[in-house]
Amino acid sequence: MNIAIFVSGSGTNCENIIRHFQENGHANVALVISNRRDAYALVRAERLGVPTRVISKAQLIDETIVLPLLNEYHIDFIVLAGFLLMIPEYLIQAYPRKMVNLHPALLPKFGGRGMWGHHVHEAVKEAGETVTGMTVHYVSEVCDGGEIIAQYSTPLSPDDTPDDIAEKEHVLEMRYFPEVIDQLITAIGADS
């Protein structure tokens, strides 16, 4: 099974997912796509031998560009790992229950437009939460509104800063995100 990872930033999760599948062989990360030419995730992917492409927001909404690209790499499954653009409806329909997103909070709290990266951790701190975590969910037309697949949590202390919260949550991402993807892909393989 071939995976495409969509990213916008530094790509620690992207690299972690690539390494996970290079080591266990259940699937192959065949392509990394970014909407930002300067995304360090592209460097990480290239160092690990994974092809990369940069597509603009305008190109993303053009199915005559994106679908042929995904078909060229025989993509079966899409992972959003810090991808900051909304996914167009045609792509969600082309990959039903085969496209997942990672959100750095326990949805439905702290989700939706504007809730990404440090904004999420600042909101968690401001709300005085005693726990935070990560959510893996299917991608839908509603921002952070798709069916929840898995959630993992970690306790917070009143002294935690937004940076501390981000660090605690990131530990969960690195540990669990590749495992959840692997389980989903294994289940899809068993069904086909």
Side-chain angles (χ1 to χ4, degrees), residues 132-185:
T132 193
M134 61 167 275
T135 302
V136 180
H137 64 90
Y138 289 112
V139 176
S140 73
E141 290 84 358
V142 177
C143 183
D144 297 326
E147 177 188 343
I148 292 172
I149 300 163
Q151 292 185 308
Y152 299 92
S153 62
T154 186
L156 299 176
S157 78
D159 298 331
D160 284 338
T161 66
D163 286 340
D164 297 330
I165 295 168
E167 188 174 316
K168 287 181 174 184
E169 187 275 331
H170 191 69
V171 168
L172 297 175
E173 293 178 5
M174 299 303 282
R175 177 170 178 198
Y176 294 111
F177 197 25
E179 290 179 13
V180 172
I181 296 164
D182 203 338
Q183 291 167 4
L184 291 169
I185 285 172

Side-chain angles (χ1 to χ4, degrees), residues 19-180:
R19 288 186 184 282
H20 174 87
F21 286 105
Q22 284 179 341
E23 290 169 11
N24 75 32
H26 293 147
N28 173 49
V29 177
L31 181 64
V32 171
I33 294 176
S34 181
N35 63 305
R36 294 184 47 192
R37 197 166 296 285
D38 63 345
Y40 192 69
L42 298 171
V43 174
R44 293 176 189 270
E46 288 167 358
R47 285 182 181 161
L48 293 170
V50 177
T52 63
R53 295 291 183 277
V54 176
I55 59 171
S56 67
K57 185 176 184 176
Q59 289 171 319
L60 178 66
I61 61 174
D62 186 343
E63 64 186 279
T64 66
I65 293 173
V66 176
L67 289 180
L69 175 62
L70 296 174
N71 288 334
E72 176 185 346
Y73 287 89
H74 308 285
I75 300 303
D76 304 298
F77 196 88
I78 298 173
V79 174
L80 308 184
F83 190 67
L84 300 181
L85 297 180
M86 283 296 293
I87 298 298
E89 188 174 336
Y90 79 84
L91 195 52
I92 294 167
Q93 291 173 356
Y95 287 86
R97 298 180 70 83
K98 293 182 179 175
M99 186 182 328
V100 298
N101 181 48
L102 168 69
H103 186 75
L106 297 170
L107 291 175
K109 288 185 174 184
F110 311 107
R113 290 192 183 271
M115 283 288 112
W116 54 272
H118 214 63
H119 302 289
V120 173
H121 307 304
E122 290 168 353
V124 167
K125 173 66 178 175
E126 189 174 307
E129 295 290 314
T130 58
V131 66
T132 193
M134 61 167 275
T135 302
V136 180
H137 64 90
Y138 289 112
V139 176
S140 73
E141 290 84 358
V142 177
C143 183
D144 297 326
E147 177 188 343
I148 292 172
I149 300 163
Q151 292 185 308
Y152 299 92
S153 62
T154 186
L156 299 176
S157 78
D159 298 331
D160 284 338
T161 66
D163 286 340
D164 297 330
I165 295 168
E167 188 174 316
K168 287 181 174 184
E169 187 275 331
H170 191 69
V171 168
L172 297 175
E173 293 178 5
M174 299 303 282
R175 177 170 178 198
Y176 294 111
F177 197 25
E179 290 179 13
V180 172

